[in-house]
Amino acid sequence: MWQQFQPKKVFLFMLSIMLGLTVWLLPTPEGVTEQAWQLLAIFVFTIAGIITKPLPMGAMAFIGLMMLVVTRTLSFEEAFSGFNHNIVWLIVFAFFIARGFIKTGLGSRLAFLIMKLLGKSTLGMGYGLVATDLLLAPAIPSLTARAGGVIFPVLTSLAKAFGSEPHSHPRKMGAYLMNTAFQGSVVTSAMFLTAMAGNPLIADLAAEVGVKLSWGTWALAASVPGLLCLLILPYVMYKIYPPEVKQTPDAREFACKELKAMGPIAFQEWVMLFTFVLLISLWVMGPVIQMKAAAAALLGLCLLLLTKVISWDDIIKEKGAWNILIWFATLITMAGYLNKLNLTKWFSQAVVGHLVGVDWLMGFIVLGLIYYYSHYFFASNVAHIGSMFPPFLILSVGLGTPPALAVLTLAFFSSLFGGLTHYGCGPAPIFFGAGYVPVSTWWRNGFAMSVIYILIFGVVGGFWWKTLGLF
Amino acid sequence: MWQQFQPKKVFLFMLSIMLGLTVWLLPTPEGVTEQAWQLLAIFVFTIAGIITKPLPMGAMAFIGLMMLVVTRTLSFEEAFSGFNHNIVWLIVFAFFIARGFIKTGLGSRLAFLIMKLLGKSTLGMGYGLVATDLLLAPAIPSLTARAGGVIFPVLTSLAKAFGSEPHSHPRKMGAYLMNTAFQGSVVTSAMFLTAMAGNPLIADLAAEVGVKLSWGTWALAASVPGLLCLLILPYVMYKIYPPEVKQTPDAREFACKELKAMGPIAFQEWVMLFTFVLLISLWVMGPVIQMKAAAAALLGLCLLLLTKVISWDDIIKEKGAWNILIWFATLITMAGYLNKLNLTKWFSQAVVGHLVGVDWLMGFIVLGLIYYYSHYFFASNVAHIGSMFPPFLILSVGLGTPPALAVLTLAFFSSLFGGLTHYGCGPAPIFFGAGYVPVSTWWRNGFAMSVIYILIFGVVGGFWWKTLGLF
């Protein structure tokens, strides 16, 4: 213990406690029940802990749940109700399924196949990496699995093959590709309900303002602005952060060699591919055939288990999934009960009175920009979403912003803002940590791209959603 | 895939499917809803799979849940309702807490302290091992953690220190101690709600015949017959399977040396000890202070996390806990809905009519013996409990057996029958696998002890529970 004693962490934990305690001890406002106010205090403590990280996210979640139960704010069954929420299991199952992409090598094979097609130039490679990411995004919500498990290894082996390493010729091609692949993963995360762990949380929170986001609606709404971003991203990067080597006639050969080394497509890869196609079909048709996305994911998972593409041991070893199960269920529970106990309603009524006369469009633009750029202060999309998404959504709707417009904009921003820094989301430390790009350049490129994302999603997106009749 | 293709496993899976399908296709009996009958069919399939093991238990559970959801027998939220059941989390939390006993070394220290006290003779050592097991049983429901993580390593180092190894002088003392410690772990498993993973499942199933088993009631009811068994067990073993070396004056010295090597009690061990005492106090006082056992366990777990006795990484790496979360929640859900959908009621009404005129005591003795000795055909307590406990309990109560007597007897049998074979419960393969005891001797001793357990729990237990006013 004492060798592990870290005054900074103790301080941060105490700070979270003080914050929660302050809320707890404040007089309960009129129109709010004692129970709702206690829940808010524990929620504030938990979120403060998730942001400042005195303990890992899951541990903070357990402590939050313990406080809910021990203070009798919620019953044990209420506090643990998030653990039978379908959207929590959707993400957990998707984490297990993603393991199959990596284990069978199907992910890498796709990446090398695309390289064979597009790898004639460094710019082509940039497009190839982004395209691979886009292909995998619908079924791999773990950014660490997608970026770290598939894209990053392929990228690293490519850059090395061309003699571009962190300490020798980083700018030859490695730096450009690292930054491009990273920004690509940020955009693809925004494009599917199942492309980022925080997205289902958003879908759940959106229901509180009456907006239903199915898997298909999400993908459709994101398709035009998302694809547009992905189309111009490798090119813009190529201009603002050009690689030294532009033509790479050997890359296709390299990809061919790697593919040859992999041998013919194995039975397990076929099963994985079939499951992947089945899953996406079921997710798209979900609302028509009345099958929940989580039920489809469970079906896919069972297929992989029965065909031994993944083993039961792969599942219980999948630490990321268990981690997410705990904190996700906790946040879903807390956010759900804040709503059920009418705290969100009270909050929106309390603020809306002060907003009379404010132009909703101007107001929403300001709120959206604050929501986006406050991510400089966050090291996790989920912490940001959990703390800021609900109040910003309520404020926006209170101003008069059409609920669906507010939900979609903030939802997509919740992935895109991860591109700002080298710590802002899961893949950031992976690609940045490779050591090709200096931190100032990383931030500069991140800011440049953020302007483009905001314009495309805000303007093109807005028109697209209007055309779709979403608002 | 093809290299892993195992015809036997495929056959067993098909067999489970056929069994379930047979029930599904049978005409639904009068008084049973379509939904309840479908649930029964999927339950039969799942239990058949858990018993014959074409896939690991957790994978079978996932497939069972998938079938429930895909056939629309239950909604997703209903099928996953076991995941917010407090008794499931009690066991999961206890698995995490048990990690602290092993990690801090407190478990081994207790074992060596007891050896220092009782290790003058081989018989004393037998008592020492059993006593250690008893001390740890209330907070370590994982038999693998308790027997494999604490008792077994201490026993092995003791036997080796005395030159008794599997292939040289096994009978000197190792064989006796292995068999005694194994039987001890079987008895202690029966003694606390939290001493074996299947016990809370029993407590949950018992509620269906109106018997409430709190942590304190369980411990109190088991105390007299359990302690009596533990008292005579090392002595009986000493007589029927004597060690060659009887006096061991060096053993205490050995224990002292080991304790010295461990150094003074560390801060983390104190925290662990404090948490252990706190937990047991809260579990005993639970009904008075209205705190659920799971809430107390979560509180203890948070203490260990905050003091860094266990880390978050220890938790998400604890594969056994995640495994149990999945299959336990699934069985709880299925058993619960069989009851909610009135299937158990229908079953009991259907059989009770045929039992008129049968003497309940004779009938119950026969049922109890069948329940006990059918464990020769099981490799897991949980599979046995899940498939046979509910119908045998209903039959017994239908005969006229007082419900509490039936519950308690079958509940304790559900641990004790694990002592029959070298595969019947978690610690069996651990102690048997050490290689000291031949299989025929293991079975002979197991049968001898089973007779003693049945007599003590059946007769002494019966009188004790009557005295307590439990029935």
Coordinates of all heavy atoms in Angstrom, one line a residue, chain B residues 80 109 149 164 172 174 194 217 223 230-231 236 255 268 316 326 330 337 340 354 363 369 371 375 378-379 381 427 429:
Chain B
F80 N -32.4 -11.3 -19.8 CA -31.2 -10.8 -19.1 C -31.5 -10.3 -17.7 O -30.6 -9.6 -17.1 CB -30.5 -9.7 -20.0 CG -29.7 -10.3 -21.1 CD1 -30.3 -10.9 -22.2 CD2 -28.3 -10.4 -21.0 CE1 -29.6 -11.5 -23.2 CE2 -27.5 -11.0 -22.0 CZ -28.2 -11.5 -23.1
R109 N -0.9 -17.3 5.4 CA -0.5 -17.0 6.7 C -1.3 -17.7 7.8 O -0.9 -18.3 8.7 CB -0.4 -15.5 7.0 CG 0.2 -15.2 8.3 CD 0.1 -13.7 8.6 NE 0.9 -12.9 7.7 CZ 2.2 -12.5 7.9 NH1 2.8 -13.0 8.9 NH2 2.8 -11.7 7.0
G149 N -6.1 -22.3 -4.4 CA -5.2 -21.1 -4.2 C -4.6 -21.0 -2.8 O -3.6 -20.4 -2.7
S164 N 7.3 -36.7 1.4 CA 6.2 -37.5 0.9 C 5.7 -37.0 -0.4 O 5.0 -35.9 -0.4 CB 5.0 -37.6 1.9 OG 3.9 -38.3 1.4
K172 N 3.2 -41.9 3.2 CA 3.9 -41.4 4.4 C 3.0 -40.4 5.1 O 2.7 -40.5 6.3 CB 5.2 -40.7 4.0 CG 6.2 -40.6 5.1 CD 7.6 -40.2 4.5 CE 8.6 -39.8 5.6 NZ 9.7 -39.2 5.0
G174 N 1.3 -37.5 2.7 CA 0.6 -36.8 1.6 C -0.7 -37.3 1.2 O -1.7 -36.6 1.1
T194 N -22.2 -18.4 1.2 CA -21.1 -17.9 0.4 C -19.9 -18.8 0.3 O -18.8 -18.4 0.0 CB -20.7 -16.5 0.9 OG1 -20.6 -16.6 2.3 CG2 -21.7 -15.5 0.5
T217 N -29.3 -17.7 8.6 CA -30.1 -19.0 8.8 C -29.3 -20.2 8.2 O -29.2 -21.2 8.8 CB -31.4 -18.9 8.0 OG1 -32.0 -17.6 8.3 CG2 -32.3 -20.0 8.4
S223 N -24.4 -25.3 11.1 CA -23.3 -25.3 12.1 C -23.1 -26.6 12.9 O -22.0 -27.2 12.8 CB -23.5 -24.1 13.1 OG -24.8 -24.3 13.8
L230 N -16.8 -32.2 10.5 CA -15.4 -31.7 10.4 C -14.6 -32.3 11.6 O -13.4 -32.5 11.5 CB -15.4 -30.2 10.5 CG -15.9 -29.5 9.2 CD1 -15.7 -28.0 9.3 CD2 -15.2 -30.0 8.0
L231 N -15.3 -32.5 12.8 CA -14.6 -33.0 13.9 C -14.2 -34.4 13.7 O -13.1 -34.8 14.1 CB -15.5 -32.9 15.2 CG -15.3 -31.7 16.0 CD1 -16.3 -31.6 17.2 CD2 -13.9 -31.6 16.6
V236 N -11.6 -40.2 11.3 CA -12.1 -41.4 10.6 C -11.1 -41.7 9.4 O -10.7 -42.8 9.2 CB -13.5 -41.1 10.0 CG1 -13.9 -42.2 9.0 CG2 -14.5 -41.0 11.1
A255 N 6.5 -24.7 9.9 CA 5.5 -23.6 9.8 C 6.1 -22.3 10.3 O 5.9 -21.2 9.7 CB 4.3 -23.9 10.6
Q268 N -1.7 -4.3 3.9 CA -2.7 -4.9 3.1 C -3.4 -6.1 3.7 O -4.6 -6.3 3.5 CB -2.2 -5.3 1.7 CG -1.6 -4.0 1.0 CD -1.3 -4.3 -0.4 OE1 -0.9 -5.4 -0.8 NE2 -1.6 -3.3 -1.3
I316 N -10.8 -7.2 -13.5 CA -11.2 -7.6 -14.9 C -10.5 -8.8 -15.4 O -10.8 -9.4 -16.4 CB -11.2 -6.4 -15.9 CG1 -9.9 -5.7 -15.9 CG2 -12.3 -5.4 -15.6 CD1 -9.8 -4.6 -17.0
I326 N -22.1 -15.1 -16.1 CA -22.9 -15.5 -17.3 C -23.8 -16.7 -17.0 O -25.0 -16.6 -17.2 CB -22.0 -15.8 -18.5 CG1 -21.1 -14.6 -18.8 CG2 -22.8 -16.3 -19.7 CD1 -21.8 -13.4 -19.2
T330 N -28.0 -16.7 -16.2 CA -28.8 -17.4 -17.1 C -29.7 -18.5 -16.4 O -30.9 -18.5 -16.6 CB -28.0 -18.2 -18.1 OG1 -27.1 -17.2 -18.8 CG2 -28.8 -18.9 -19.2
Y337 N -38.3 -17.8 -14.3 CA -39.4 -17.7 -15.2 C -40.2 -19.0 -15.3 O -41.4 -19.0 -15.5 CB -39.0 -17.2 -16.6 CG -39.0 -15.7 -16.7 CD1 -37.8 -15.0 -16.5 CD2 -40.2 -15.0 -16.9 CE1 -37.8 -13.6 -16.5 CE2 -40.2 -13.6 -16.9 CZ -39.0 -12.9 -16.7 OH -39.0 -11.6 -16.7
K340 N -42.4 -18.2 -12.5 CA -43.3 -17.1 -12.8 C -44.4 -17.5 -13.8 O -45.5 -17.1 -13.7 CB -42.5 -15.9 -13.3 CG -42.1 -14.9 -12.3 CD -41.4 -13.7 -12.9 CE -40.3 -13.2 -12.0 NZ -39.3 -12.5 -12.7
H354 N -50.4 -38.3 -7.7 CA -50.0 -39.7 -7.8 C -49.3 -40.2 -6.5 O -49.0 -41.3 -6.4 CB -49.0 -39.9 -8.9 CG -49.6 -39.5 -10.3 ND1 -50.5 -40.3 -10.9 CD2 -49.4 -38.4 -11.0 CE1 -50.8 -39.8 -12.1 NE2 -50.2 -38.6 -12.1
G363 N -40.6 -41.7 1.6 CA -40.5 -41.2 0.3 C -39.3 -40.2 0.2 O -38.5 -40.2 -0.7
L369 N -31.7 -39.9 -1.2 CA -30.6 -40.8 -1.5 C -30.4 -40.8 -3.0 O -29.2 -40.8 -3.5 CB -30.9 -42.3 -1.0 CG -30.8 -42.4 0.5 CD1 -31.2 -43.8 0.9 CD2 -29.4 -42.1 1.0
Y371 N -31.1 -38.3 -5.0 CA -30.5 -37.0 -5.3 C -29.0 -37.1 -5.0 O -28.1 -36.6 -5.8 CB -31.1 -35.9 -4.5 CG -30.6 -34.5 -4.7 CD1 -30.9 -33.9 -6.0 CD2 -29.9 -33.8 -3.8 CE1 -30.5 -32.6 -6.2 CE2 -29.4 -32.5 -4.1 CZ -29.7 -31.9 -5.3 OH -29.3 -30.7 -5.6
H375 N -25.0 -38.1 -8.1 CA -23.9 -37.3 -8.4 C -22.7 -38.0 -9.0 O -21.8 -37.4 -9.5 CB -23.4 -36.5 -7.1 CG -22.6 -35.3 -7.5 ND1 -23.0 -34.2 -8.2 CD2 -21.2 -35.1 -7.2 CE1 -22.0 -33.4 -8.3 NE2 -20.9 -33.9 -7.8
F378 N -22.4 -36.8 -12.4 CA -22.2 -35.3 -12.6 C -20.8 -34.9 -12.4 O -20.1 -35.4 -11.5 CB -23.2 -34.5 -11.7 CG -24.6 -34.5 -12.1 CD1 -25.5 -35.4 -11.6 CD2 -25.0 -33.6 -13.0 CE1 -26.8 -35.4 -12.0 CE2 -26.4 -33.6 -13.4 CZ -27.3 -34.5 -12.9
A379 N -20.4 -33.9 -13.2 CA -19.0 -33.4 -13.0 C -19.1 -32.0 -12.5 O -18.1 -31.3 -12.5 CB -18.3 -33.4 -14.3
N381 N -21.3 -29.5 -9.4 CA -22.4 -29.3 -8.5 C -23.6 -28.5 -9.1 O -24.7 -28.8 -8.9 CB -22.0 -28.5 -7.2 CG -21.1 -29.3 -6.4 OD1 -20.7 -30.5 -6.7 ND2 -20.6 -28.8 -5.3
P427 N -12.7 -28.8 -6.3 CA -11.4 -29.2 -5.7 C -11.0 -30.7 -6.0 O -9.9 -31.0 -5.9 CB -11.6 -29.0 -4.2 CG -13.1 -28.9 -4.0 CD -13.7 -28.5 -5.3
P429 N -10.6 -32.5 -8.8 CA -9.4 -32.7 -9.7 C -8.1 -32.1 -9.2 O -7.0 -32.6 -9.5 CB -9.8 -32.1 -11.0 CG -11.0 -31.3 -10.7 CD -11.7 -31.8 -9.5

